[in-house]
Amino acid sequence: QVQLVESGGGLVQPGGSLRLSCAASGSILRINDMGWYRRAPGKQRELVATITRGGSTNYVDSVKGRFTISRDNAKNTVYLQMISLTPEDTAVYYCNADISVSAWSRTTRYWGQGTQVTVSS
């Protein structure tokens, strides 16, 4: 059984910062790509950032220069450092990870339960 557990969300004032974490646990052989998505009220889910096992990153234009995705492969954890937050960043943030549980199984995408980020004064 594989689980992804997010933490670090909360209420922050405009211009503030937050760091989200997402730790994968369970029977894991290998984690390939990891990423963060978000769903704002009344909007569709949006890709925020992705990172490969080797550390290559990709960001949606609206967060470039403000958000940084990183990972610790030894801890099976992905992070999202967010600075200069605006009310438009308010959303539920979800992490995902493409995980192999054995040498004979195909990679499966797992999702976290989501963590609320609210940017408001």
Side-chain angles (χ1 to χ4, degrees), residues 21-36:
S21 300
C22 171
S25 63
S27 179
I28 296 171
L29 176 65
R30 178 184 175 92
I31 301 179
N32 295 322
D33 292 356
M34 305 182 82
W36 290 93

Side-chain angles (χ1 to χ4, degrees), residues 51-91:
I51 185 168
T52 67
R53 183 172 180 82
S56 296
T57 59
N58 183 55
Y59 299 91
V60 67
D61 285 346
S62 60
V63 308
K64 286 180 179 177
R66 300 188 300 121
F67 290 11
T68 302
I69 188 171
S70 61
R71 64 190 286 173
D72 184 332
N73 290 332
K75 296 182 178 179
N76 290 336
T77 300
V78 62
Y79 306 95
L80 187 67
Q81 177 69 50
M82 306 182 292
I83 66 171
S84 302
L85 285 161
T86 74
E88 288 68 38
D89 295 315
T90 295

Side-chain angles (χ1 to χ4, degrees), residues 1 4 10 13 24-25 28 30 32 46-47 50 53 55 67 72 74 81 94 96-97 102-104 107 111:
Q1 189 81 5
L4 270 62
Q13 292 187 340
S25 63
I28 296 171
R30 178 184 175 92
N32 295 322
E46 174 189 40
L47 171 66
T50 61
R53 183 172 180 82
F67 290 11
D72 184 332
Q81 177 69 50
Y94 301 89
N96 67 29
S102 76
W104 302 276
T107 298
W111 291 85

